[in-house]
Amino acid sequence: MQTASTIARLTLLAVGVAGALAAADANAAAFQLKENSAKGLGRAFAGSTSAEGDASVVATNPASMRLLDGTQFQGDVSAISFGAKFRGEGRYGNGAPISGGNGGDAGMIAPVPAAYFHVPFGANDNMHFGASLTVPFGFKTEYDTDWVGRYNGVKTDLKAIDLGVAFSYDVNPYLSFGVGVFAERLNVDLTSAVDAGTAINASAQQRASAAVLAAGGTPAQAAAAARQAAVQAAQLGFSPGSADGYLRIKGDEVSVGYTLGMTVSPVEGTNIAFSYRSEVEHKITDGKADFTMTPAAAAFLAQAAPGTFIDSNGRATITLPASATVSVSHRVNDQWKIMADVSRTAWSKFDQVTVDYDSNQPDSVLPFNYRDTTFASIGTEYRVSDQLTLRGGLAYDQTPTTDAHRDVRVPDTTRKWLSLGLTWAPSEKTEYSVGYTHLFTKDPNITSTSATGNTVTGKYKVSGDVLAASMQYKF
């Protein structure tokens, strides 16, 4: 019936999944992560797929494995520190202020691991095999549970973990081709408050209005009946913010993607790399939506709109975007190298997500309105000695979202990078690297409306820093 479908649209998996997928990472467009290498971080990922001696190319551009020196293992870990402090207000659909604070610092400090193995084989070692473990997408934010934007989101935790293998073939010392295949596991875990008071109050008004019109009453009489129903619902304890519930969404899925690459070295010391990472379609078929409702709200909904605001399974298809990168590295002399990168990520295909429920409620179409993004960086390395190399870099990182579509779960904004790093090689077999990046951002504005019509408006203070370390061992 109309009342049941109206309440259904205020609920469920759609609310949670929408919030998670509108998320944006602190260090790359949306929730994309570049943090897979301490060396790369130290030069703002300039030369990310064309620089010599960085085993992260096993995952990002297998064709560049010929730039690695023999059999080796590399392990990296990055610590991302992301801050997001909200300043503003929340209001119910009727204009009344929402109680609560600003949510505290919704950011986090999170580790991002990566590991790579490379071995050359074949005649003159002209073929290469690699294996990798990376985290190409991920984000986490968490507010105080009673903050003013609780109906828009409380916790968002999304991560994708890739396990991949790669192969490349060197046509000659100047040209190589590579391909990689990876299995990707996506995990989504998020929570939000549910304004059952608003939903039930609206339902009571709609039922009263519909009854008057069905009996031949006038629109004015229907409006009066709706107002009276709202008063009666409020007397029962069902007014905006009076019967808050809680929703938790969880889901996971494993799918397969691929990476293609070509690396050209027109002259000695100059490498030009082209790489492509495919999109990955995740069809979550066993998502879980768990509701915690007040006894009074649960009893009312069981009669007025059975099958809503109850624990349920759900399905949604989430497609993580494809990206293409052009990377250049050039050795100026025995001490200096310069690098540059340009990447393009196809976020515009991430336009909407449709959520299908096990119950009788209609599908929800969730708009995101993302745009394609560009990441560009320049960097340099200076070899002080055989044991010590210094590096630095600058980058521009565009956000896929805009003021009109920014979400509280992750207040993404375009940022600029300043990066520094170094490598210390105490022996021919072992080297250690560290990298650091500071992000410069503008304070993004936000106006976001929840499924029950509650609005949060304000501005964020966003900050970000990344520290990475790695160890490489050559067998």
Side-chain angles (χ1 to χ4, degrees):
M1 61 183 175
Q2 181 180 2
T3 300
S5 63
T6 298
I7 294 182
R9 286 192 291 269
L10 303 177
T11 68
L12 277 35
L13 206 51
V15 180
V17 173
L21 296 179
D25 172 51
N27 306 103
F31 42 90
Q32 185 180 26
L33 290 172
K34 286 185 173 292
E35 288 74 13
N36 58 13
S37 163
K39 286 183 178 179
L41 183 70
R43 53 179 182 260
F45 291 100
S48 65
T49 66
S50 62
E52 300 174 353
D54 187 350
S56 65
V57 296
V58 172
T60 58
N61 179 17
S64 287
M65 287 193 289
R66 69 176 167 87
L67 305 177
L68 302 176
D69 186 11
T71 301
Q72 59 184 258
F73 170 83
Q74 180 176 310
D76 291 78
V77 63
S78 301
I80 299 176
S81 175
F82 167 61
K85 297 180 179 179
F86 172 77
R87 305 185 304 276
E89 64 174 11
R91 291 193 175 273
Y92 292 105
N94 62 7
I98 298 175
S99 64
N102 283 333
D105 189 344
M108 48 71 192
I109 299 177
V112 179
Y116 312 95
F117 175 76
H118 164 259
V119 58
F121 64 99
N124 301 315
D125 288 342
N126 66 334
M127 292 184 283
H128 306 262
F129 172 81
S132 62
L133 175 68
T134 59
V135 183
F137 296 92
F139 194 81
K140 182 177 180 180
T141 54
E142 188 166 6
Y143 298 87
D144 298 336
T145 56
D146 61 348
W147 82 294
V148 295
R150 57 189 176 273
Y151 305 116
N152 299 71
V154 174
K155 176 184 176 182
T156 301
D157 189 354
L158 181 149
K159 57 180 173 289
I161 302 173
D162 288 8
L163 180 62
V165 294
F167 169 81
S168 69
Y169 175 73
D170 303 339
V171 178
N172 52 48
Y174 312 104
L175 176 65
S176 56
F177 296 93
V179 60
V181 178
F182 56 86
E184 181 172 270
R185 181 182 179 89
L186 175 67
N187 290 274
V188 178
D189 184 3
L190 36 109
T191 63
S192 62
V194 176
D195 185 8
T198 289
I200 292 173
N201 194 288
S203 172
Q205 294 181 58
Q206 291 168 359
R207 293 174 66 194
S209 176
V212 170
L213 293 174
T218 66
Q221 291 172 329
R227 289 192 295 270
Q228 180 62 29
V231 173
Q232 292 174 347
Q235 291 173 344
L236 293 174
F238 300 128
S239 58
S242 64
D244 283 2
Y246 204 66
L247 168 62
R248 183 180 186 186
I249 304 295
K250 295 188 70 175
D252 60 76
E253 199 270 343
V254 177
S255 290
V256 176
Y258 63 89
T259 304
L260 302 176
M262 178 180 74
T263 301
V264 181
S265 302
V267 296
E268 185 177 356
T270 299
N271 305 313
I272 305 172
F274 306 89
S275 59
Y276 174 81
R277 174 189 165 93
S278 73
E279 67 179 32
V280 181
E281 184 179 75
H282 292 276
K283 294 184 177 181
I284 299 177
T285 59
D286 59 349
K288 306 294 183 183
D290 297 328
F291 286 91
T292 302
M293 308 299 294
T294 66
F300 181 94
L301 290 164
Q303 294 183 358
T308 62
F309 290 99
I310 61 172
D311 296 350
S312 172
N313 292 339
R315 290 166 295 279
T317 297
I318 301 169
T319 302
L320 299 181
S323 60
T325 301
V326 178
S327 179
V328 179
S329 298
H330 174 66
R331 186 189 309 129
V332 178
N333 53 43
D334 290 341
Q335 289 184 303
W336 285 99
K337 294 179 181 178
I338 55 175
M339 301 92 164
D341 257 40
V342 177
S343 298
R344 189 74 173 165
T345 302
W347 281 114
S348 62
K349 288 190 175 182
F350 195 76
D351 183 55
Q352 64 182 31
V353 171
T354 299
V355 181
D356 179 30
Y357 310 111
D358 283 351
S359 60
N360 293 327
Q361 52 204 5
D363 294 349
S364 293
V365 179
L366 312 174
F368 294 97
N369 301 294
Y370 273 11
R371 58 185 178 180
D372 292 346
T373 60
T374 299
F375 176 92
S377 62
I378 57 173
T380 186
E381 288 187 349
Y382 177 72
R383 186 180 181 186
V384 179
S385 66
D386 290 343
Q387 290 75 39
L388 181 63
T389 299
L390 306 179
R391 57 182 58 92
L394 301 171
Y396 169 83
D397 192 7
Q398 183 184 22
T399 178
T401 192
T402 61
D403 285 355
H405 303 291
R406 187 170 289 111
D407 188 272
V408 303
R409 288 189 179 271
V410 185
D412 192 29
T413 183
T414 296
R415 72 233 57 185
K416 298 175 183 178
W417 297 34
L418 173 62
S419 302
L420 299 170
L422 63 85
T423 293
W424 175 56
S427 69
E428 293 184 356
K429 290 187 174 183
T430 306
E431 66 178 33
Y432 303 93
S433 300
V434 295
Y436 168 76
T437 289
H438 177 71
L439 304 179
F440 297 89
T441 64
K442 293 183 178 180
D443 296 346
N445 297 313
I446 187 166
T447 299
S448 180
T449 303
S450 74
T452 45
N454 304 327
T455 301
V456 58
T457 304
K459 186 181 288 287
Y460 276 89
K461 179 67 175 179
V462 176
S463 61
D465 294 274
V466 187
L467 180 65
S470 74
M471 183 277 291
Q472 186 182 96
Y473 182 79
K474 300 174 184 177
F475 295 91

